[in-house]
Amino acid sequence: MTEPTTDVIAIGNAIVDVIAPCDEAQIEQLGLAKGGMTLMDAARSAELYAAMGPAKEVSGGSAANTLAGLAALGAKCAFIGQVADDQFGRVFAHDIRAGGIAFDTPTRDASVPTAQCLIFVTPDGQRTMNTFLGASQFLPAEALDDAAIANAKVLYLEGYLWDPEEPRRAMRRAIAAARAAGREVAFTLSDAFVIARHGDDFRALIAEGQIDILFANEHELAALTGLEDFHEGLEQLAKNVPCVVVTRSEKGAHAIRGGEHAHVPAQPIERVVDTTGAGDLFAAGFLFGHVRAKPLAECLTLGAICAAEIISHYGPRPEADLAALLAEKLG
């Protein structure tokens, strides 16, 4: 087996996030599911966009956010995702490449626009996401570069993208390519609604030994296992997944890897501004430690530090120098 040339290659939604503050009344007025992620069509997207106040537009998407964090830490990364030949598509491609991430997926015509996520942030820092998947849900398996997948230590898959049929086929092909090359496959469950729709698929992948690293929060853990007891659910997953990582917001994070248990508290923060991307950046910190064979507790700590940086400001991409931040926190 040849040595990998990339640390992490990820497949995910190629989305431009539009983020705006709002009050609780607007959440209710617009009929939004506070703190959740709701899929919408183009008409609903236009309606909500018109209702937003002054907004910040940044390239996003869960897996792309994770890669942005990894690249900022010094990891070598590549992204696979579908954009259209339109303004948002060009913005996304520019942003991700400017971050030092390889992105070579061919664009498609603009008949279906590049995906957008409209994020309303309430004063308590909770983000309510409303996503128009657009072109991202039409990522074909033929767009994958099997050699690039085989050249990465870890293939990282975004659960959100499992919902549309075409990228689901692409991710199954990517899993096969990674496993044939002896690489690790990491999967993030993304949201409880994804588990409600595709939990049987995820449980089958786990039972078949296709997932090496699984990321979840405590609500997704309960939805996947059907167990209310947190520790019982964690132990159950660890029977079939070599590395299970579960975040619990202010309660910190837990992981089991190779039979070793670890827990770290959440990093202290003066004020939670926006939780958008917290899980994505936690995964970035953890994977950065993992690909460098760091101890399990240190991997969790790296994730917690990165997540704390993200929730201290608006937007899902780091604003501080993450490498310098880790050096400061870890001494």
Side-chain angles (χ1 to χ4, degrees), residues 172 198-211 224:
R172 287 191 181 279
H198 302 289
D200 288 344
D201 277 357
F202 300 159
R203 295 180 195 101
L205 288 172
I206 289 168
E208 294 163 5
Q210 300 295 312
I211 306 299
L224 185 67

Side-chain angles (χ1 to χ4, degrees), residues 255-282:
I256 301 178
R257 184 173 68 185
E260 177 190 0
H261 294 236
H263 166 258
V264 299
Q267 289 284 307
I269 181 172
E270 184 175 331
R271 185 170 75 93
V272 174
V273 175
D274 174 18
T275 57
T276 306
D280 305 335
L281 268 291
F282 186 96

